[in-house]
Amino acid sequence: MDSLRVAVLQMVSGDDLDHNLAQAEALLRQAAAEGAELALLPEYFYLMPVDERARVALAAPVDDHPLLAWVQGLARELGVWILAGTLPLASHEPGKMHNSSLLIDPQGQLASRYDKLHLFGFCTGQEQYDEAATMTPGREVVSHPLPWGVLRIGICYDLRFPELFRLDPAPDFIALPAAFTHTTGLAHWELLLRARAVENLAFVFASAQGGHHPGGRRTFGHSMIIDPWGRILAQVEEGQALAIAGLAAAKPLVIATDATYPPFEMVDSSGKLGGFEVDLAYALCAAMKTECEVINQPWDALLPGLQVRKYDAIMSSMNITDERRQKVDFSQVYYMMQNRFVGRSDKAADFADDPAHFKGKVIAVQEGTPQDNFVTARYGEVAKIKRYVNAQSPMLDLQSGRADYTFGNMVQLKVGFLDKEMGKQFAFVGPQFNGTQDKILGEGVAVALRKHDDKLKARFDAAIESVKADGTFNTLLKKYQLEDLL
């Protein structure tokens, strides 16, 4: 995550619309003057009346709403992202409205709309609230990809429903404009906000009403910005004010690899990760001017781990395929993988690339790879395909005689098998294959990224172009003797 300066605005709105808007504008201008790139207004910033129906009277369609147009004009003028707390939008139910949080970009365009899902009801005898009497609940969970990460939007009472924030895509930020009552806020507000931050490893931005309002209502305030460790970075307790904080990258960029694929990724005798792609990963991070960490993960856990945000990217000789594109996005290609069969050298002359030759033969491959898909599609009906979770096991089966052939990346087979003592009786057999000849073998090797992580993709693309242009890529090819094999 790049640095972000964010402001949460706390108000004590009353029943005078024009006065409330003037106060909101003053806070927004102050936030922009102090360098905020994202500013969040509280729930009901425009009106806190005695009679809740006064808000319903202001409801209008989203494409023709004067209050929305007012916020859009300020966002455009100030050049900041604004979360317009909540505004009353027209509902299909007579006498009701949607209580909606609207995200406006710095060009003044409506970027996202969230209609409050969970409607608050509370009665102590002295206090009584029934949002369902004047509101229609929303139907959808809403996320928006900000330039700094994914924002999940909730409103006030939504805070009590943790499952709202756990759904994919996992949020980097949680926005919670609110008008929490003083009674419930005193007991649970900070506790729940910090819990949502910790359990989602996300920053929480809570902009609240904080004071006494017409009709005797009192709100809790305590607008705050919380980091993924649950630490409060900035806070306003009561009254009208803003809290502002700069959020730096909370952790290094984490890149996962399966270190069973020399010379691309491997573990040396001291336990240190190394190899062409490990070195390339650090070179790309240097080009991006980003601290990073490369970690070792089993092959079959790579994609699931990326999707649940265990790490940020994968660099593990992962070929782009249609099946993988359904799960993740990819950077531009940084090399095209060449593939070939390996079999016993004394039987190389007998090899034929046709189904008749493979009838009854055993082919050992790494499970879930394009090579697995290729041999299964071509020979699966006549040969026995043995699949393994790592790249070394197919070679061991070939050496022991439990397999007739293995099929894979030529570099990995040469360095990890044929050049070693265990591979002395074996050789490449048959032609080379790559994705340009058969799409099932993939479009090329690239960095795998979470879906819609467009900003990180752009950074990796630029870094790949940079290391190729400045000679770093070729230097790594020579270091690992890969010039003729990629």
Side-chain angles (χ1 to χ4, degrees):
M1 182 195 82
D2 289 343
S3 62
L4 163 66
R5 193 158 175 80
V6 61
V8 290
L9 314 185
Q10 182 162 294
M11 295 180 63
V12 189
S13 300
D15 55 8
D16 185 329
L17 175 66
D18 291 338
H19 177 75
N20 295 334
L21 296 183
Q23 297 302 305
E25 180 176 344
L27 286 172
L28 287 169
R29 291 189 180 280
Q30 180 185 346
E34 293 185 25
E37 298 163 282
L38 169 66
L40 296 89
L41 288 161
E43 185 179 24
Y44 306 139
F45 72 91
Y46 61 97
L47 201 66
M48 287 284 285
V50 174
D51 187 344
E52 301 287 325
R53 290 174 294 182
R55 284 196 288 261
V56 179
L58 296 174
V62 71
D63 56 358
D64 186 26
H65 202 304
L67 293 177
L68 174 57
W70 176 84
V71 179
Q72 289 175 304
L74 277 173
R76 188 163 46 247
E77 178 189 344
L78 299 174
V80 298
W81 289 82
I82 297 176
L83 186 74
T86 63
L87 287 174
L89 297 186
S91 165
H92 67 279
E93 295 185 279
K96 294 188 178 184
M97 68 180 197
H98 286 291
N99 191 25
S100 304
S101 191
L102 303 173
L103 180 66
I104 316 302
D105 72 18
Q107 290 72 49
Q109 298 300 309
L110 177 61
S112 199
R113 166 186 173 173
Y114 168 70
D115 298 337
K116 187 175 184 181
L117 281 169
H118 303 98
L119 303 184
F120 181 56
F122 181 65
C123 181
T124 64
Q126 296 178 321
E127 293 180 88
Q128 181 172 339
Y129 304 95
D130 182 15
E131 290 184 339
T134 57
M135 296 181 195
T136 299
R139 295 177 177 269
E140 296 181 355
V141 176
V142 172
S143 298
H144 187 82
L146 292 170
W148 310 274
V150 175
L151 177 71
R152 174 68 46 78
I153 305 174
I155 299 171
C156 201
Y157 189 49
D158 286 329
L159 173 61
R160 295 185 180 274
F161 299 85
E163 63 276 10
L164 174 64
F165 307 101
R166 293 176 183 162
L167 298 173
D168 286 336
D172 299 294
F173 313 109
I174 294 171
L176 279 157
F180 238 67
T181 72
H182 189 270
T183 303
T184 57
L186 196 62
H188 301 141
W189 173 247
E190 181 181 324
L191 172 69
L192 292 173
L193 288 173
R194 295 175 72 185
R196 297 298 87 86
V198 172
E199 67 196 8
N200 293 286
L201 289 176
F203 289 93
V204 170
F205 310 142
S207 50
Q209 295 282 350
H212 295 271
H213 308 273
R217 181 173 180 177
R218 185 181 180 188
T219 50
F220 184 62
H222 292 77
S223 298
M224 61 184 74
I225 299 167
I226 305 171
D227 78 5
W229 281 85
R231 295 173 294 209
I232 298 173
L233 304 180
Q235 180 177 194
V236 177
E237 292 189 357
E238 288 189 307
Q240 180 169 298
L242 64 81
I244 191 165
L247 314 181
K251 56 185 180 180
L253 187 70
V254 180
I255 302 172
T257 193
D258 171 23
T260 64
Y261 210 59
F264 294 95
E265 34 270 339
M266 53 201 171
V267 180
D268 66 19
S269 58
S270 68
K272 182 180 178 182
L273 280 175
F276 171 74
E277 282 184 290
V278 174
D279 287 0
L280 178 60
Y282 285 114
L284 295 177
C285 289
M288 292 188 283
K289 296 180 172 57
T290 297
E291 181 184 357
C292 71
E293 176 186 5
V294 181
I295 63 172
N296 190 14
Q297 295 287 295
W299 175 262
D300 57 347
L302 284 175
L303 288 177
L306 179 65
Q307 291 171 314
V308 299
R309 306 182 76 82
K310 189 174 181 180
Y311 29 83
D312 304 294
I314 298 169
M315 290 183 67
S316 195
S317 291
M318 185 166 284
N319 244 317
I320 301 171
T321 65
D322 289 340
E323 181 181 1
R324 287 174 182 161
R325 279 193 188 279
Q326 294 176 14
K327 300 175 182 177
V328 296
D329 286 340
F330 287 94
S331 71
Q332 64 171 271
V333 170
Y334 53 84
Y335 84 85
M336 182 66 71
M337 187 180 292
Q338 304 295 329
N339 305 277
R340 203 171 177 188
F341 282 99
V342 168
R344 288 186 62 86
S345 53
D346 58 358
K347 296 183 179 180
D350 300 331
F351 182 86
D353 181 29
D354 62 65
H357 173 75
F358 281 96
K359 187 174 182 179
K361 297 291 195 301
V362 176
I363 307 172
V365 292
Q366 187 176 8
E367 183 179 27
T369 61
Q371 291 86 353
D372 177 5
N373 296 336
F374 177 81
V375 297
T376 300
R378 288 172 75 99
Y379 312 115
E381 294 184 0
V382 294
K384 179 179 180 181
I385 313 298
K386 295 183 70 175
R387 300 175 176 86
Y388 299 88
V389 296
N390 64 54
Q392 298 296 318
S393 295
M395 302 175 202
L396 295 175
D397 256 21
L398 186 61
Q399 181 197 22
S400 67
R402 292 191 294 269
D404 299 290
Y405 298 105
T406 186
F407 181 74
N409 181 341
M410 288 180 62
V411 175
Q412 194 273 335
L413 289 172
K414 182 178 185 297
V415 176
F417 184 60
L418 295 177
D419 287 351
K420 296 183 176 181
E421 186 64 31
M422 65 188 292
K424 292 300 183 185
Q425 299 178 35
F426 300 87
F428 285 121
V429 295
Q432 296 182 26
F433 300 91
N434 62 43
T436 60
Q437 299 159 316
D438 192 326
K439 190 178 179 182
I440 201 171
L441 284 171
E443 301 168 34
V445 172
V447 183
L449 304 158
R450 277 187 293 277
K451 279 286 189 185
H452 311 303
D453 199 347
D454 296 334
K455 188 167 187 181
L456 186 56
K457 177 187 179 327
R459 295 176 68 201
F460 267 110
D461 285 346
I464 291 167
E465 291 178 4
S466 176
V467 299
K468 287 190 173 183
D470 68 14
T472 302
F473 190 81
N474 285 336
T475 298
L476 293 177
L477 289 178
K478 291 176 182 178
K479 176 181 177 179
Y480 291 98
Q481 301 179 354
L482 296 174
E483 306 103 296
D484 299 328
L485 290 173
L486 292 184

